[in-house]
C-alpha cells in the first residue's frame, strides 16, 4: 500500500492528521506532508479512514 497525496488539491484542513498523525502532517504552508508513504498492512484501517475523511479528495491509496 502506498499513500498518494495531491498537494495542489490539499486545503490544509487537517482531517488526515487528526485521524492518523503518524502518517500525515499539515505544515505551516497549509498542505499535507506524508510522513510514511508506505505503511504496513496493520495500519490500513487507520490510513484508509484518514484518506476517506479528506473533504477535498486530496488523498488516495495505491495498492
Amino acid at each position: 500500500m502506498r499513500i498518494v497525496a495531491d498537494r495542489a488539491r490539499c486545503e490544509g484542513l487537517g482531517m488526515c492528521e487528526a485521524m492518523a498523525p503518524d502518517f500525515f502532517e499539515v505544515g505551516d504552508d497549509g498542505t499535507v506532508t506524508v510522513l510514511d508513504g508506505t505503511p504496513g498492512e496493520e495500519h490500513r484501517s487507520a490510513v484508509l479512514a484518514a484518506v476517506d475523511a479528506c473533504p477535498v479528495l486530496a488523498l488516495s491509496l495505491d495498492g
Side-chain angles (χ1 to χ4, degrees):
M1 156 176 65
R2 184 173 66 89
I3 299 170
V4 179
D6 182 346
R7 292 175 50 91
R9 183 177 280 208
C10 179
E11 293 183 2
L13 300 171
M15 298 300 294
C16 56
E17 183 178 18
M19 298 197 72
D22 291 337
F23 300 97
F24 304 98
E25 179 177 77
V26 176
D28 293 338
D29 66 350
T31 58
V32 68
T33 297
V34 177
L35 301 175
D36 180 356
T38 55
E41 282 298 315
E42 67 273 17
H43 300 290
R44 181 177 285 275
S45 62
V47 172
L48 184 57
V51 167
D52 288 344
C54 181
V56 295
L57 306 175
L59 301 170
S60 62
L61 290 181
D62 183 19

